[in-house]
Amino acid sequence: LGYVTLPPVLIALVGAAGAAQLAAAAAGRYAPYPPRDQRGPRGVVGDIVRTVVLVSRAGRRQRRARSSRST
């Protein structure tokens, strides 16, 4: 609507994000990932991401193996 320009909105969002991080740390809710046996199921998106990462790693390994054999 033109009441507030973009820079003050971005500054406010960054400040809110920082405040949320500090609040999580103060409340004791800021922790590393839980151990593998305490995590919930991955879900569809997690499975897709995992598959894409594993396929790209396998392709990279094959390209490295081919290039090391040719030299």
Side-chain angles (χ1 to χ4, degrees):
L1 298 173
Y3 290 111
V4 181
T5 60
L6 187 60
V9 172
L10 293 177
I11 291 170
L13 286 174
V14 169
Q21 293 288 317
L22 291 173
R29 301 294 296 168
Y30 203 85
Y33 288 113
R36 189 176 296 259
D37 59 337
Q38 291 181 356
R39 293 183 207 158
R42 227 186 338 260
V44 176
V45 175
D47 286 338
I48 292 170
V49 169
R50 181 176 185 273
T51 302
V52 168
V53 168
L54 292 177
V55 167
S56 69
R57 284 181 185 173
R60 205 174 303 137
R61 264 191 237 111
Q62 287 177 351
R63 284 191 298 274
R64 266 196 226 131
R66 270 191 257 134
S67 68
S68 66
R69 274 190 249 136
S70 64
T71 56

